Amino acid sequence: MTNADSESRESGVSAPDAAASTGAMLVGILSDTHGALPQAAFAELADCDHIVHAGDICDPSILAELETLAPVTAVLGNNDYPEYGAKVGRFATPVIGGARFLVTHTPDDLMRALRGGTSALQPGDPLPQVAVHGHTHVPRIVSGRAATPAGYIVCPGSVTRPRGGSSPSVAKLVIKDGVVSSVRLVELTRR
């Protein structure tokens, strides 16, 4: 848990678990870097076992930097081009720590995918526990009935260009035995 003097401030659905001490997996989520990876974001993601980038990367070196910390799953945003190679597409459906994810950049694409209106999920595919999008630059976590058919909808906000009065932020999830045990937003201190 961070304190007032640290690089970040946390908020979210439940209190953070000590992932490393419990055998759980910590997943960091960011979006909308727009060509810059602030040191505060890099530092906040340093303890993650896997990182998800929800698009508008805008510089291949950002993925290379993040990969020095942990494996990275990334999708293209509306400001990205195919310069990242075949491993970065419009949608990603990784299983991380036993939990299914659906990742895309825009909330519209996410909702279409959840309703089966895209090639991201095929009929009969298991539904994601965590659906992730970026694009809005406004952080949010949705759970319960409002997130159906996913367990959670997560938008980490933007680490470089926050909107709607929000601060730069990332999201962090703890997964244990294939189940998401906590989801939180972490506000980054601007320097």
Side-chain angles (χ1 to χ4, degrees):
M1 184 76 129
T2 59
N3 62 41
D5 298 325
S6 71
E7 288 288 312
S8 62
R9 197 176 93 215
E10 300 176 3
S11 64
V13 172
S14 62
D17 295 344
S21 65
T22 64
M25 182 170 227
L26 183 61
V27 179
I29 303 173
L30 75 162
S31 185
D32 297 281
T33 49
H34 289 278
L37 183 61
Q39 181 57 37
F42 186 83
E44 187 59 43
L45 297 170
D47 62 347
C48 293
D49 300 301
H50 198 102
I51 298 170
V52 174
H53 195 307
D56 276 358
I57 307 158
C58 301
D59 185 340
S61 69
I62 289 173
L63 296 184
E65 266 188 271
L66 292 171
E67 287 171 345
T68 67
L69 299 175
V72 175
T73 298
V75 296
L76 298 172
N78 58 298
N79 291 300
D80 291 317
Y81 301 94
E83 70 262 34
Y84 307 99
K87 70 178 187 169
V88 180
R90 189 168 161 206
F91 296 97
T93 55
V95 175
I96 304 170
R100 286 196 180 279
F101 283 70
L102 169 62
V103 185
T104 192
H105 184 61
T106 70
D108 289 344
D109 280 349
L110 184 70
M111 296 317 294
R112 269 193 296 280
L114 287 172
R115 292 184 192 114
T118 70
S119 62
L121 295 175
Q122 300 300 315
D125 282 352
L127 293 171
Q129 291 171 267
V130 182
V132 177
H133 73 85
H135 190 63
T136 65
H137 296 222
V138 177
R140 73 178 184 139
I141 297 170
V142 179
S143 61
R145 179 174 276 154
T148 302
Y152 296 93
I153 296 174
V154 178
C155 177
S158 173
V159 298
T160 57
R161 300 177 184 174
R163 293 182 186 149
S166 63
S167 296
S169 57
V170 298
K172 287 181 138 178
L173 289 79
V174 175
I175 300 170
K176 186 168 184 179
D177 299 325
V179 177
V180 177
S181 63
S182 79
V183 182
R184 67 190 192 274
L185 296 169
V186 181
E187 292 182 1
L188 306 171
T189 303
R190 295 182 198 220
R191 289 206 173 210

